[in-house]
Amino acid sequence: MVLCLNVILFLTLHLLPGMKSSMVNLINNGYDGIVIAINPSVPEDEKLIENIKEMVTEASTYLFHATKRRVYFRNVSILIPMTWKSKSEYFIPKQESYDQADVIVANPYLKYGDDPYTLQYGRCGEKGKYIHFTPNFLLTNNFHIYGSRGRVFVHEWAHLRWGIFDEYNVDQPFYISRKNTIEATRCSTHITGINVVFKKCPGGSCITSLCRRDSQTGLYEAKCTFLPKKSQTAKESIMFMPSLHSVTEFCTEKTHNTEAPNLQNKMCNGKSTWDVIMNSVDFQNTSPMTEMNPPTHPTFSLLKSKQRVVCLVLDKSGSMSAEDRLFQMNQAAELYLIQVIEKGSLVGMVTFDSVAEIQNHLTRITDDNVYQKITAKLPQVANGGTSICRGLKAGFQAIIHSDQSTSGSEIILLTDGEDNEINSCFEDVKRSGAIIHTIALGPSAAKELETLSNMTGGYRFFANKDITGLTNAFSRISSRSGSITQQAIQLESKALKITGRKRVNGTVPVDSTVGNDTFFVVTWTIQKPEIVLQDPKGKKYKTSDFKEDKLNIRSARLQIPGIAETGTWTYSLLNNHASSQMLTVTVTTRARSPTIPPVIATAHMSQHTAHYPSPMIVYAQVSQGFLPVLGISVIAIIETEDGHQVTLELWDNGAGADTVKNDGIYSRYFTDYYGNGRYSLKVHAQARNNTARLNLRQPQNKVLYVPGYVENGKIILNPPRPEVKDDLAKAKIEDFSRLTSGGSFTVSGAPPPGNHPSVFPPSKITDLEAKFKEDYIQLSWTAPGNVLDKGKANSYIIRISKSFMDRQEDFDNATLVNTSNLIPKEAGSKENFEFKPEHFRVENGTKFYISVQAINEANLISEVSHIVQAIKFIPLPEDSVHDLVNISTLMLSLVGSVVIVKCFFKCHYLYFKEEKECN
């Protein structure tokens, strides 16, 4: 059969270039509290705000119909950066901030594309962190590439809000179905199109061909592309290609393509996107509305970020005299005021016991004199009771007295005591609009502190006996405006128990992304040590160079003049006292340049509270700009109220707790519960031995960049998608060190410390791969552990079938593979296993479906892995492969910016032993 197509190529003049607390609520079918924040580096542009409004308005109607009249967008806040001019229609934000926004508008770092995406690294059904749109995407009409902006927003909202995944796969765009046809990875299969290869058109000649089958894999050749027909009747799916006009729904159980090798099937055990959505909290008690359209258009509030206002509310009650708590609080507060708070911020301070006193009304931080004025009022004596509410109310008064609004202002509340009346000021706190960060010091701090943080969108911390917990907490409370280059970054925070007359040495790398405003701080408990600090060029700083505070709070500080030298700094501390004492070293810095983002690390737990035996996941994100940092060591330290510590190495390997490999999100299951109460998290990220690199490849969980369409028999191409060169994709970065607090979480229902029977099975295997090599099937996967992703499993169950395994029953009824010689390796190791499917007749084209489970020593069994396919494929002779597709010479004519290519195809191909005709 001869297939004739007119191929039209549109030539353009240029190519397209910690746990977050969302405020979103679903009330009576409408979403309220959505925050869309514009980064301070984005130039002022009224059109940007106008297009955001148009996008959300369109998305609201599309969402309403996509969810079968269940939900729509009702109230949206657009957060304008401080860098834009003030206008009368701009209001003061309350708890809204850039760092807590649901949608951010920011330029990509190292511009290489404007693909909208959602930062999503949780399990199936778990919310994402944020949606990222670039200004260029919002200001440029790329409807033909992504679809309308409103449709794109709904696609990303589904990632963010309901934790579903994409139904395409750019790494595996085709698969062989159970019907022995090569299919594009998509949902639903009712979307039709053609599969073609587009070759370059140098010098006015152009060759276009239908896809040939690869002689080794049986799939189409590597450059084969699926082009959908512009006109479709299929309504599904929004998570595949919302750019198609007919696509208005999510794939349901009836239309879902369980065979497609996409992330939705892998992460959600083959469930349809609609099934996951309907099981979400949003839809548990939400019924369809009777109206045929949303009852109202979205309402928009324009909020303009204000200068940072922070008031310290510090406990000086009698219990603060125990275990050096008052000293430690003062050391950490001084560090915060001198090294962390951003210049230009307004800072006040309140101290409280059974009564509260304003020590400093708001003062603008400009120079050392201002710091000294505030730190001079730090409390020197601890006595009296504990009245947290009085402290908070005095904090509000300190802010209001300085003609500032409490809305959007921050309070850092530190206390070690209990207060039976803390509930009495919850309503005042809500009305204030302030953000309250809480630091619980010691095991007896009021249990209601977390409620204050949760209701206001603030951070929550727990610090125990040594000063590093407090300094880590204070260092984490930086500006949430999105101005990363202004934020303080912790390079080191180490506590060292040094015996009498002994010396300790250490190193701190200072990389080229930081070095501005760099401080080295040493604290002690008995006597000031002898200090020697040496920069990478050999210059030495001695004890006399370190400025000792005037408040006698046992700390000394050195600010490096200018920009700190790049390289490894070394320090030496000598304890001159006869007795042992605790010494600490803290190093903070800021970005070296306002135009180059620093490498940063953030951390959080998967949830704020855990009830045993529910496992939790530790997450740490390491990035430069929006680019993931790979190949580094990331260590999490979790500490209980009694000082017991658990150390975990976090992995970015796409296995166990880690959803996506090489996305810069390092994670691990936490199951080592040691009693109930508060636990703290800190993370140390280090690049050593020049192994770190940036991942410049496009992120996952994004709307599909559509290469083109078939319309009325013609191929209409979009501009080619920007590609990242291989050498850039492995861009190396120098050694660095980052330390960050991940806040605190609370545990209940846990047994007391001691040996307890295992209640956790091995983790699900999520990266299983299979292929035939001659007569053997080769499997590979990352080993799970004895307890989720820790330790070593006891054995594996591998089952194989010629029929696709949709359900657990299918797996249980499949044929067992002999694994008696397969000894599980340590969690995180790569497992390789091969076997011969001896009980089956195998011929050219035979397909097998394979899945794996792991068993631990307590005989607990993991979930069934995702299903993989292995096909016995005997390659055709090379001459036969070339004869499969005959392509005629193409006649080309150029008219303006449109290239029209007339092509004639004659196509026959063998599919295993069956000859089929191209249509």
Side-chain angles (χ1 to χ4, degrees), residues 202-265:
S205 63
C206 187
I207 297 176
T208 305
S209 66
L210 291 179
C211 300
R212 299 185 304 173
R213 292 181 62 241
D214 185 286
S215 62
Q216 300 300 315
T217 66
L219 292 167
Y220 288 136
E221 57 191 299
K223 294 183 179 180
C224 184
T225 301
F226 173 75
L227 288 185
K229 293 180 180 178
K230 188 77 173 178
S231 177
Q232 303 272 352
T233 58
K235 294 182 178 181
E236 308 89 1
S237 167
I238 291 170
M239 300 313 291
F240 172 60
M241 199 175 285
S243 56
L244 295 173
H245 180 73
S246 69
V247 171
T248 56
E249 297 179 3
F250 296 96
C251 267
T252 65
E253 185 179 9
K254 290 182 179 179
T255 57
H256 181 57
N257 180 6
T258 56
E259 292 184 85
N262 55 38
L263 205 54
Q264 173 63 25
N265 279 329

Side-chain angles (χ1 to χ4, degrees), residues 615-667:
M616 298 186 76
I617 299 176
V618 187
Y619 291 113
Q621 181 181 9
V622 187
S623 59
Q624 183 180 13
F626 293 104
L627 300 180
V629 176
L630 312 180
I632 62 174
S633 166
V634 181
I635 303 297
I637 300 171
I638 297 170
E639 185 174 349
T640 66
E641 289 182 351
D642 64 359
H644 177 77
Q645 289 188 347
V646 174
T647 300
L648 286 174
E649 180 184 5
L650 307 186
W651 296 332
D652 184 16
N653 61 357
D658 195 62
T659 302
V660 179
K661 185 177 182 179
N662 290 340
D663 64 349
I665 310 294
Y666 295 76
S667 52

Side-chain angles (χ1 to χ4, degrees), residues 325 327-330 332 414 439-441 462-464 466-475:
R325 288 177 187 163
F327 263 97
Q328 292 179 3
M329 179 185 75
N330 288 344
L414 184 152
I439 302 175
L441 181 56
F462 164 62
N464 209 350
D466 74 63
I467 177 63
T468 58
L470 279 179
T471 56
N472 296 341
F474 272 107
S475 297

Side-chain angles (χ1 to χ4, degrees), residues 520-535:
F520 284 77
V521 181
V522 176
T523 71
W524 57 92
T525 54
I526 302 175
Q527 179 182 315
K528 184 178 181 180
E530 180 184 305
I531 309 168
V532 179
L533 175 68
Q534 181 172 300
D535 77 9

Side-chain angles (χ1 to χ4, degrees), residues 422-460:
I422 189 172
N423 296 342
S424 65
C425 58
F426 281 0
E427 288 304 316
D428 290 338
V429 168
K430 289 178 184 176
R431 285 193 296 269
S432 73
I435 299 163
I436 299 181
H437 310 295
T438 59
I439 302 175
L441 181 56
S444 300
K447 304 305 179 187
E448 297 85 354
L449 289 179
E450 284 77 9
T451 304
L452 289 170
S453 293
N454 293 342
M455 72 169 62
T456 64
Y459 297 127
R460 46 189 280 173

Side-chain angles (χ1 to χ4, degrees), residues 53-325:
K53 290 180 177 180
E54 290 178 358
M55 173 183 72
V56 177
T57 301
E58 179 199 356
S60 183
T61 301
Y62 189 61
L63 179 70
F64 184 74
H65 293 294
T67 58
K68 308 184 192 311
R69 307 197 311 277
R70 282 177 171 82
V71 294
Y72 65 98
F73 298 126
R74 184 164 47 215
N75 292 307
V76 178
S77 295
I78 301 175
L79 190 61
I80 312 295
M82 272 187 64
T83 50
W84 290 25
K85 296 176 183 176
S86 296
K87 293 186 178 181
S88 58
E89 61 265 33
Y90 295 167
F91 296 94
I92 297 174
K94 290 188 176 180
Q95 285 96 19
E96 298 88 353
S97 68
Y98 180 88
D99 280 7
Q100 301 288 308
D102 305 290
V103 182
I104 60 172
V105 179
N107 289 309
Y109 178 52
L110 299 180
K111 298 179 181 179
Y112 63 99
D114 293 290
D115 288 355
Y117 71 93
T118 301
L119 183 60
Q120 176 188 10
Y121 46 81
R123 311 283 90 189
C124 178
E126 293 181 2
K127 293 179 175 64
K129 188 172 182 183
Y130 59 73
I131 298 168
H132 179 189
F133 293 126
T134 67
N136 195 49
F137 168 78
L138 292 168
L139 295 171
T140 306
N141 290 330
N142 290 317
F143 299 162
H144 53 293
I145 293 174
Y146 303 108
S148 69
R149 284 188 283 265
R151 287 177 170 235
V152 170
F153 186 33
V154 172
H155 175 99
E156 300 306 327
W157 182 261
H159 282 306
L160 179 77
R161 187 69 184 178
W162 304 316
I164 59 177
F165 298 87
D166 289 320
E167 292 175 317
Y168 61 86
N169 187 339
V170 293
D171 295 322
Q172 193 174 344
F174 297 95
Y175 66 98
I176 296 175
S177 75
R178 66 185 93 178
K179 295 180 180 179
N180 281 349
T181 59
I182 302 179
E183 297 286 348
T185 301
R186 67 198 192 281
C187 191
S188 71
T189 55
H190 296 140
I191 290 177
T192 58
I194 63 169
N195 307 311
V196 292
V197 174
F198 293 99
K199 300 181 180 179
K200 295 182 179 179
C201 306
S205 63
C206 187
I207 297 176
T208 305
S209 66
L210 291 179
C211 300
R212 299 185 304 173
R213 292 181 62 241
D214 185 286
S215 62
Q216 300 300 315
T217 66
L219 292 167
Y220 288 136
E221 57 191 299
K223 294 183 179 180
C224 184
T225 301
F226 173 75
L227 288 185
K229 293 180 180 178
K230 188 77 173 178
S231 177
Q232 303 272 352
T233 58
K235 294 182 178 181
E236 308 89 1
S237 167
I238 291 170
M239 300 313 291
F240 172 60
M241 199 175 285
S243 56
L244 295 173
H245 180 73
S246 69
V247 171
T248 56
E249 297 179 3
F250 296 96
C251 267
T252 65
E253 185 179 9
K254 290 182 179 179
T255 57
H256 181 57
N257 180 6
T258 56
E259 292 184 85
N262 55 38
L263 205 54
Q264 173 63 25
N265 279 329
K266 178 181 175 181
M267 294 302 302
C268 299
N269 297 324
K271 290 182 182 178
S272 74
T273 53
W274 183 244
D275 283 343
V276 177
I277 291 170
M278 287 300 292
N279 284 325
S280 70
V281 174
D282 286 355
F283 288 76
Q284 292 300 304
N285 298 302
T286 303
S287 301
M289 302 184 74
T290 56
E291 295 91 337
M292 296 308 295
N293 286 298
T296 181
H297 285 309
T299 299
F300 296 93
S301 301
L302 301 182
L303 311 175
K304 185 172 185 292
S305 299
K306 65 175 187 176
Q307 64 190 134
R308 194 174 186 202
V309 176
V310 179
C311 186
L312 304 183
V313 178
L314 307 177
D315 186 353
K316 68 177 189 69
S317 62
S319 57
M320 289 291 290
S321 62
E323 298 181 338
D324 259 356
R325 288 177 187 163

